[in-house]
Amino acid sequence: MTMSRPRWILLALALSFLVVGVADAFVAPVRGKDYTAFDVVHVFLISALCYTWCRADGLARGVPAPGRSALLAGVFPVLGVPVYFFRTRPWQRALLCTLGAAAFLAISLVLAAVGTLSIEFVRG
């Protein structure tokens, strides 16, 4: 059984949170801020992967992204991904997908924290 392209993109997105979480343990935050340079770069990677996922999902399902939904998902994923769902699915399915995306985000944030905390734990 092989994974579809959209699932590979989601896997890459989740792993990016883990990798950045690990990298954050080695780099000091930007002066006066709570984030590192890796976090800033990660924002652009998240945007690119969200855009790519929307395009791949539309192609895999035979439903091209209507209008600029995929672009909105890339520019502002928190709003754009639900908009993409509601433009490409019946509203009940779109609502479930939006809840799934929120859960995916929560799990990804936990992965980032686990990455950082595991390195800090090992470093002692």
Side-chain angles (χ1 to χ4, degrees), residues 16-123:
S16 74
F17 277 86
L18 180 63
V19 169
V20 169
V22 168
D24 280 350
F26 294 102
V27 178
V30 174
R31 186 174 32 183
K33 305 293 181 187
D34 290 335
Y35 52 84
T36 69
F38 285 117
D39 297 323
V40 174
V41 172
H42 192 221
V43 167
F44 293 103
L45 179 61
I46 291 168
S47 293
L49 288 172
C50 286
Y51 171 80
T52 303
W53 179 84
C54 287
R55 300 296 296 176
D57 178 69
L59 290 173
R61 295 176 53 246
V63 180
R68 295 185 176 95
S69 298
L71 182 59
L72 180 60
V75 173
F76 192 59
V78 172
L79 176 64
V81 171
V83 167
Y84 171 77
F85 288 145
F86 280 95
R87 288 191 175 172
T88 61
R89 293 160 171 79
W91 75 268
Q92 301 93 335
R93 183 80 180 133
L95 183 59
L96 287 174
C97 289
T98 299
L99 293 173
F104 181 84
L105 174 61
I107 291 167
S108 296
L109 293 172
V110 167
L111 280 173
V114 165
T116 302
L117 294 173
S118 62
I119 295 301
E120 290 177 357
F121 178 76
V122 170
R123 291 170 77 190

